[in-house]
Amino acid sequence: MKNSSTDSNIRVMVVDDHEIVRYGIIELVGRTEGFEVVAEAGSVQDAITRADLTTPDVMLVDLQLPDGTGIDIMNHVRESLPDTKCIVLTSFDDDDALAESCKAGAKAFILKTVHGAEVSRVIRLVHDGKVLLDEKTITRKAGGQDDLMATLTPAERRVVGLIAKGMSNAEIGAELGISEKTVKNHITSLLSKMGLKRRTQVMAWAEGQQSAPWRSQS
């Protein structure tokens, strides 16, 4: 926490139960011009308490914590600190965990294997309103849904709508009365048509399409 506080600094909180990782990130962020580390925590309860006290602009949140998960923290932040943006810091490229993170309001995902400069870059972009996924920026483009959705079949559109609601493949299959394998086939097809690589990218993209008509389809 080396930077002195100024009104223009991006105020960052770091949550990770591994001290070496946490301190390394704090050191990296703290020495970056324009950033200020205002709090740190190694558990869900400490994170919630300190976030409420410091109201950071951006939180880096580990998913696996001793008394819960980063999802618990992000759910609290979404309700109590709506101006705070959360970035998931994780060791695992897990689609299901990332999908849950999107549902909880995560704006970006950073693997712990990335270079230090990438961490600062992602924090700055998220603070500026970007949504990043798999280290690539996805901007929220109003009206972009028509182009992306135009080539999808009705079934694929319904799958997109259910992915946007945070449903797993099994839940989507049960909702539509089809097998999980068929759901996976639909997802493979729609990802290709939309120019995306992961279902979590579909969820992040859908998050920016608040008025999309397909959201109400089942």
Side-chain angles (χ1 to χ4, degrees):
M1 306 183 190
K2 294 183 179 181
N3 280 355
S4 59
S5 179
T6 69
D7 290 341
S8 61
N9 279 346
I10 298 173
R11 305 172 70 256
V12 180
M13 178 173 176
V14 181
V15 183
D16 196 299
D17 64 326
H18 292 90
E19 288 188 355
I20 293 177
V21 174
R22 188 169 75 247
Y23 293 161
I25 295 172
I26 289 170
E27 174 67 20
L28 168 71
V29 175
R31 69 169 183 256
T32 303
E33 184 178 356
F35 289 177
E36 176 191 3
V37 179
V38 296
E40 62 175 282
S43 67
V44 172
Q45 189 55 56
D46 281 350
I48 289 174
T49 298
R50 296 178 188 185
D52 286 344
L53 288 172
T54 59
T55 61
D57 298 316
V58 178
M59 290 179 66
L60 293 175
V61 182
D62 189 16
L63 286 180
Q64 303 299 323
L65 296 165
D67 58 340
T69 71
I71 305 296
D72 300 321
I73 297 170
M74 290 187 288
N75 283 332
H76 172 83
V77 168
R78 189 178 69 246
E79 295 296 327
S80 300
L81 303 169
D83 293 330
T84 297
K85 299 177 175 68
C86 291
I87 298 172
V88 170
L89 184 66
T90 180
S91 301
F92 307 100
D93 192 6
D94 184 321
D95 276 354
D96 289 337
L98 298 187
E100 284 299 308
S101 299
C102 274
K103 187 177 179 180
K107 304 302 180 185
F109 308 99
I110 302 177
L111 291 177
K112 293 181 181 180
T113 54
V114 302
H115 295 295
E118 179 71 5
V119 176
S120 298
R121 185 183 75 88
V122 171
I123 292 173
R124 193 178 300 280
L125 288 172
V126 166
H127 177 264
D128 290 343
K130 304 293 185 182
V131 176
L132 284 81
L133 201 57
D134 298 329
E135 302 171 28
K136 295 180 181 180
T137 302
I138 300 175
T139 57
R140 299 182 176 193
K141 297 181 180 178
Q145 54 118 355
D146 288 335
D147 292 335
L148 288 180
M149 299 292 290
T151 60
L152 302 189
T153 66
E156 289 166 353
R157 286 172 178 257
R158 288 194 291 272
V159 171
V160 169
L162 296 175
I163 289 175
K165 294 179 180 179
M167 289 188 177
S168 67
N169 289 355
E171 290 170 334
I172 291 172
E175 177 73 16
L176 299 180
I178 58 179
S179 69
E180 190 170 349
K181 181 178 180 181
T182 300
V183 173
K184 290 179 180 179
N185 289 340
H186 283 321
I187 292 175
T188 298
S189 177
L190 68 88
L191 286 175
S192 176
K193 292 177 180 178
M194 296 175 75
L196 302 176
K197 293 182 178 180
R198 297 178 180 274
R199 75 193 314 278
T200 46
Q201 288 178 307
V202 176
M203 181 174 284
W205 171 81
E207 191 67 23
Q209 308 298 325
Q210 296 300 324
S211 61
W214 44 264
R215 278 183 168 273
S216 60
Q217 295 180 2
S218 59

